Amino acid sequence: MNVKVLTTKPQIYTAEEALKLMRGDELTATAYLESCLELVEKKEPIIKALAFIDKKNALDSAENCDFQSENGVLGGIPIVVKDVIDVLGMPTAYGADKYFTNIPNRDAVCVALLKQAGAIIVGKSTTAEFAYSKPPATVNPHNILYSPGGSSSGSAAAVSAGMFPIAIGTQTGGSMIRPASFCGVYGFKPTFNLIPRDGVKTFAESADTIGWYANSLADIRLVLKALAPTYSISDINNDITKVGFCKTPFWSIADNDMKGLVQNSSKKLDAIEIDITDIATQANDDHRLLMASEISRSLSVQYNNGYQFLSAGLLDFIKKGLSITRDQELAAHRRLADYRRKIDDIFVDIDVIITPAAPGSAIKSQRKTGSSIFNILWSASHAPCLSLPVGVSDLGLPLGLQCVGRRFNDANLLVHAERILSRLI
């Protein structure tokens, strides 16, 4: 069988490169956007990463940018956002039946901040249904028979295919980090609640986090500066990075490729093994319980008024949430609060934890998005997480190394990640 494999080497400048050229009058925002749109025209019919695109308004915005002397941190950078995030004038379809499509009358706060920083919002990227599990038609740019991961499927695939330098996604369980690993891009999930979520469709209020993808660590930093400027400045005053290596209780689920990547990285980084077996399994279970309980409330209107338009898998998950008692939910919240304090304590002695970003490389499926088993326990910790595209499986598919930092030390995590990259590549 002949399988069409697309090149995933970025064919456009990174945001940092483009900004440098634009500030030196060697590139215009319009020309940069047009190069992205040319790649969209070429690749999107195969990748199917976009739910909506507004070329005319994007080109108008780029032209306006070219006439401005000061354009902000992301001035002239084209970006797409996950289709659970509102953009003024663009439909929000949630990856669901058209019955639920909404045309918002204002931007989500994160989108407004991106625009204030000069970014050009070109369109919406695909998502699993209401950011849960039913995948969109999006394929993995490295091999179209494989999943790009989910639920931020289109965001990761659009960056991986080189169509856009940056794309915004969300994570509740593993929806940022796993797609980053599957698609071979940098994926960042900041500290919980660091980025305002107003205007983003809620999945689970206690965990939903806005994140982003890029083809360079420098671009990840740029977006952090735009969305959370006070948390984008590192306070590191030494050149030492102490690394911890955490297998987690789910190590046996990882395949040999992923185990090899993490173990080899651990050796190169002189990492200290961290054991969280006594707390991680319960945290994983508690986080899943809260996801179910909270989505049963956040989708209550859709469930009550349009249940026939929801997938069977999502209906089952909502029903599971409806069966959870108040006491069960409160107990889970109390245990997770204690769990987060214990995870914080680990960072007294180390700077960053390395751990699998996924059980292995992308799964060969168009109906599933893969397991979040190596993501949920870190989402539950509310800690910042970053997937570094530093590995390749025996099948030639990307593997991500997940780096976890201390809560509210997002900038420090990115500094330590850069040091880790320099020692691994």
Side-chain angles (χ1 to χ4, degrees), residues 63-385:
E63 186 176 353
N64 290 336
C65 186
D66 289 332
F67 286 100
Q68 299 289 332
S69 57
E70 293 293 332
N71 284 309
V73 176
L74 294 170
I77 300 303
I79 292 177
V80 290
V81 302
K82 184 176 180 178
D83 197 20
V84 294
I85 302 172
D86 286 345
V87 179
L88 176 66
M90 294 186 187
T92 306
Y94 314 106
D97 189 279
K98 62 182 180 181
Y99 173 83
F100 300 108
T101 298
N102 173 54
I103 307 293
N105 58 11
R106 61 176 180 148
D107 290 323
V109 172
C110 64
V111 171
L113 290 171
L114 291 169
K115 288 182 177 180
Q116 285 178 20
I120 298 168
I121 308 302
V122 184
K124 310 292 285 294
S125 51
T126 59
T127 175
E129 178 192 31
F130 287 107
Y132 182 50
S133 68
K134 182 184 177 183
T138 312
V139 300
N140 192 312
H142 289 263
N143 190 314
I144 63 173
L145 295 183
Y146 287 74
S147 170
S151 62
S152 303
S153 313
S155 297
V159 171
S160 177
M163 294 191 287
F164 295 97
I166 293 167
I168 309 300
T170 64
Q171 176 161 310
T172 305
S175 296
M176 281 296 309
I177 300 301
R178 187 173 72 261
S181 182
F182 282 8
C183 291
V185 296
Y186 293 87
F188 183 55
K189 182 206 78 71
T191 298
F192 170 72
N193 233 11
L194 191 66
I195 313 301
R197 293 174 290 162
D198 183 46
V200 180
K201 177 57 185 169
T202 303
F203 180 142
E205 183 65 31
S206 67
D208 293 349
T209 305
I210 296 164
W212 50 93
Y213 298 103
N215 276 311
S216 76
L217 199 50
D219 285 5
I220 295 290
R221 285 195 297 268
L222 279 173
V223 181
L224 182 61
K225 188 174 181 180
L227 293 180
T230 56
Y231 285 89
S232 67
I233 302 169
S234 170
D235 61 2
I236 296 174
N237 57 12
N238 59 60
D239 59 0
I240 299 170
T241 293
K242 294 175 287 185
V243 181
F245 157 45
C246 186
K247 291 182 176 180
T248 83
F250 314 111
W251 184 249
S252 63
I253 297 173
D255 67 17
N256 289 335
D257 289 329
M258 183 58 77
K259 286 178 179 176
L261 171 65
V262 179
Q263 288 175 322
N264 291 337
S265 299
S266 175
K267 290 176 183 176
K268 290 180 181 179
L269 299 168
D270 298 318
I272 302 166
E273 186 161 355
I274 305 294
D275 186 3
I276 59 170
T277 304
D278 59 331
I279 57 174
T281 302
Q282 183 65 60
N284 182 77
D285 292 344
D286 286 339
H287 189 82
R288 289 181 183 275
L289 181 146
L290 292 179
M291 285 173 62
S293 178
E294 292 176 14
I295 201 173
S296 73
R297 292 194 292 270
S298 64
L299 290 184
S300 60
V301 172
Q302 289 81 2
Y303 178 72
N304 291 328
N305 298 335
Y307 68 90
Q308 68 270 33
F309 299 110
L310 298 173
S311 69
L314 183 53
L315 284 171
D316 287 345
F317 198 56
I318 292 171
K319 290 174 183 176
K320 177 181 178 181
L322 291 170
S323 71
I324 293 168
T325 68
R326 172 181 175 275
D327 287 346
Q328 288 175 313
E329 188 170 349
L330 291 176
H333 276 299
R334 284 193 293 268
R335 286 191 296 265
L336 284 176
D338 184 57
Y339 167 72
R340 290 172 195 130
R341 287 190 290 269
K342 290 177 179 177
I343 295 296
D344 286 345
D345 289 343
I346 292 173
F347 290 101
V348 172
D349 299 314
I350 62 169
D351 298 307
V352 60
I353 295 170
I354 61 169
T355 191
S361 59
I363 60 170
K364 191 175 183 180
S365 174
Q366 300 300 320
R367 296 186 176 184
K368 297 180 180 180
T369 62
S371 170
S372 57
I373 194 67
F374 287 105
N375 313 121
I376 282 183
L377 72 165
W378 304 115
S379 291
S381 76
H382 288 175
C385 305

